[in-house]
Amino acid sequence: MNQQELLRLALISILIGIGIGGLFLIILKLQRQNTVINSFIDFDNLVGLIGVVEIPFDQDSKGKVRVILKAIPVTLKRLAI
């Protein structure tokens, strides 16, 4: 293969990759349509969940609480004294 054929092959590969990626994004967008994605944690959803509490050994460290919210593990640091 000469340099011109390699350049043409690279260009075709890049265009195919962009096309497949764009097609994937369109399919994903159509599949989600009205799904609202919210990454913020509503603390009202945490009430009543079972969690693991990590107690610190010294006064300078902060404790943590780990809960599973909608199949996602969430770690919260100490909010109050």
Side-chain angles (χ1 to χ4, degrees):
M1 282 190 179
N2 60 19
Q3 189 174 4
Q4 189 176 13
E5 289 175 346
L6 287 174
L7 185 61
R8 185 178 298 153
L9 183 62
L11 183 62
I12 291 171
S13 299
I14 290 171
L15 290 176
I16 289 174
I18 290 172
I20 291 174
L23 182 64
F24 180 73
L25 286 176
I26 290 170
I27 291 171
L28 192 63
K29 181 108 174 153
L30 290 174
Q31 192 175 23
R32 286 190 176 177
Q33 283 183 351
N34 295 327
T35 304
V36 176
I37 299 172
N38 186 1
S39 62
F40 293 110
I41 298 172
D42 187 11
F43 289 106
D44 292 335
N45 292 336
L46 298 176
V47 175
L49 294 178
I50 296 174
V52 176
V53 178
E54 291 183 10
I55 300 172
F57 288 108
D58 59 352
Q59 293 180 348
D60 297 329
S61 299
K62 292 185 177 182
K64 296 178 185 177
V65 176
R66 289 195 177 127
V67 294
I68 296 180
L69 179 64
K70 298 180 183 176
I72 300 171
V74 178
T75 301
L76 302 169
K77 291 188 179 181
R78 177 186 72 180
L79 299 175
I81 297 175

